[in-house]
Amino acid sequence: MAGWHVLAHGLTWDREQIAAFQSRRLRALVRHAYERVPYYRQRLDEAGVRPEHIRGLEDLGRIPLTSRTDLQNRGAEEVLARGVDARCLCVHRTSGSSGQPLSIRRTWFEDRLLQAWRLRVLGSLGFRLTDRRAAVVTARGVGRPLHTRLGLLRYEEVHCLWPPERILARLREIQPDVLRGYPGTLSWLAGLLTDTDRSVIRPRFITTDSEMMTPDMRLRIGAGFGAPVIDAYDSHEFNLIAWECPGQGVYHVSDATVIVEVLMDGRAAGPGEEGELVG
């Protein structure tokens, strides 16, 4: 029920509503993890924390941190909730570019809910149901569900490792209304566009994710494709974490789907301080 409530209202909540929602979900999540996931029960017991100790956001600091390495070194039976059949889960694996790959497992419903939330955010940025979307990414070979054959939520992936001529030829065929890709890939392609390419590859806006975008990359992408660029911060673990406010240079945190802290030396960072993001 909470998922549908988030989709319908999550973008319109004020700070008080967001904090109340996050506190409710945090309590439920900690209780679930303690009662059903062996690894988290062990971590919470070691820290002397029980579910009733976590009443809301003000108690985030009591929850012990778990690193990606911690999870990589545990078997699936330790980090999956009891009673869940691993064979029925959607699995997303990180590339391993920063070290050992990590597998993220979700139920089919959780996976679709997060995808629906990303579409909801895209809609707030100007995306339309009838738009054609193209993504220059590490292509997974997505199929063609019924709604795409009806002209709704059309989405095509173009492999970022193809030769540039092949990528541009495919984009000319798709003629995307909304273009998505890695900043490095799109800034590289932007320098190769011809006038013929620009006459047919004319997205209304472009979204980038998965890499740090430098000011130079942003300028090259925007000038090359002739469209505004909107950056997103995401990860396999949390899906969408934040997205850029068009023209403002600041990011909206995806408060309806993730709780984030910025920690500096183990404490919450203050205004103007830089630290490590924890979700």
Side-chain angles (χ1 to χ4, degrees):
M1 190 67 180
W4 301 119
H5 186 61
V6 166
L7 287 177
H9 307 290
L11 289 176
T12 62
W13 288 335
D14 59 28
R15 292 309 307 175
E16 185 176 339
Q17 290 172 304
I18 289 170
F21 174 78
Q22 289 185 325
S23 289
R24 288 196 305 272
R25 299 310 299 163
L26 178 64
R27 290 193 296 269
L29 180 62
V30 171
R31 182 166 297 279
H32 166 80
Y34 186 82
E35 293 176 352
R36 299 186 60 187
V37 185
Y39 170 73
Y40 287 112
R41 186 182 188 104
Q42 176 188 338
R43 291 288 286 129
L44 290 166
D45 281 342
E46 289 172 348
V49 177
R50 293 185 58 82
E52 57 267 26
H53 296 155
I54 307 302
R55 296 157 297 178
L57 298 178
E58 67 276 11
D59 296 315
L60 276 175
R62 303 190 66 171
I63 300 174
L65 299 181
T66 290
S67 71
R68 176 179 284 191
T69 303
D70 293 333
L71 296 177
Q72 289 167 327
N73 292 334
R74 299 281 173 159
E77 70 282 356
E78 296 181 84
V79 295
L80 286 181
R82 292 191 179 96
V84 172
D85 186 348
R87 296 171 298 178
C88 299
L89 300 178
C90 301
V91 181
H92 299 274
R93 279 179 67 79
T94 65
S95 65
S97 58
S98 59
Q100 181 182 346
L102 175 67
S103 294
I104 310 300
R105 300 173 177 87
R106 299 191 184 98
T107 65
W108 181 91
F109 179 72
E110 289 172 323
D111 212 47
R112 294 306 182 273
L113 196 61
L114 288 171
Q115 290 180 27
W117 174 250
R118 290 187 82 119
L119 286 173
R120 181 81 170 85
V121 171
L122 267 179
S124 73
L125 299 173
F127 171 70
R128 304 164 187 159
L129 291 178
T130 55
D131 279 342
R132 294 182 300 272
R133 287 186 298 149
V136 185
V137 293
T138 305
R140 302 162 297 166
V142 295
R144 285 178 56 81
L146 176 61
H147 60 76
T148 64
R149 296 197 292 272
L150 295 175
L152 300 175
L153 301 176
R154 289 170 291 178
Y155 179 73
E156 300 274 356
E157 289 185 342
V158 182
H159 207 302
C160 63
L161 297 182
W162 284 354
E165 298 82 5
R166 186 178 177 186
I167 295 175
L168 292 174
R170 188 70 187 104
L171 290 179
R172 288 195 297 269
E173 292 174 2
I174 299 170
Q175 297 184 28
D177 301 297
V178 178
L179 178 62
R180 173 192 162 215
Y182 307 137
T185 302
L186 292 184
S187 63
W188 164 63
L189 283 176
L192 302 176
L193 290 169
T194 65
D195 290 340
T196 301
D197 293 327
R198 294 188 184 91
S199 68
V200 290
I201 305 173
R202 303 171 60 186
R204 286 200 319 281
F205 65 93
I206 297 168
T207 64
T208 58
D209 58 63
S210 303
E211 294 178 347
M212 177 69 73
M213 181 165 61
T214 65
D216 179 65
M217 287 178 180
R218 181 188 295 277
L219 287 173
R220 287 170 62 85
I221 296 169
F225 287 96
V229 181
I230 302 170
D231 188 46
Y233 177 36
D234 57 7
S235 73
H236 281 287
E237 293 91 331
F238 302 113
N239 202 274
L240 182 61
I241 298 172
W243 67 93
E244 192 176 15
C245 181
Q248 301 296 316
V250 295
Y251 287 71
H252 297 284
V253 176
S254 185
D255 291 311
T257 61
V258 64
I259 298 172
V260 299
E261 293 182 286
V262 178
L263 300 183
M264 180 180 183
D265 300 325
R267 61 169 178 83
E273 292 183 323
E274 294 184 2
E276 183 178 26
L277 185 136
V278 177

